[in-house]
Amino acid sequence: MEKILMTLFLIDCVVLIACVMMQPAKNDNDAMSALTGGAGDLFSRRKPRGFEAVMQIVTVIFGALFFILALALVFVSSH
């Protein structure tokens, strides 16, 4: 059981890294955001659509799976 969980955990790690690397970059390089910390854009954010929205959902799913598998591995290895 521990080997199966470890294999799933390693696959999830690789997929999670790929998901994070595939997310689009956020370009906030203007001087005002450097001074204010980007607070001026707080209410002007748009809802992500298309590929960006899909990548955010997939990243959250694989991130949650990462923590669930990590807890399962700790439980299985302690018993």
Side-chain angles (χ1 to χ4, degrees):
M1 183 68 169
E2 190 173 357
K3 290 186 186 271
I4 294 170
L5 284 175
M6 183 60 80
T7 303
L8 291 174
F9 186 72
L10 291 175
I11 292 170
D12 183 50
C13 289
V14 171
V15 172
L16 184 60
I17 290 170
C19 288
V20 170
M21 295 298 289
M22 287 176 58
Q23 288 191 4
K26 305 216 176 353
N27 294 328
D28 291 332
N29 294 333
D30 58 347
M32 193 61 175
S33 68
L35 295 174
T36 63
D41 295 332
L42 181 62
F43 298 108
S44 66
R45 301 221 184 256
R46 62 175 178 79
K47 187 175 181 181
R49 300 187 188 276
F51 179 73
E52 187 176 348
V54 171
M55 288 311 298
Q56 283 182 355
I57 293 169
V58 170
T59 303
V60 168
I61 290 171
F62 280 104
L65 186 62
F66 174 84
F67 285 109
I68 291 168
L69 286 172
L71 290 174
L73 274 170
V74 169
F75 181 76
V76 168
S77 68
S78 67
H79 284 72

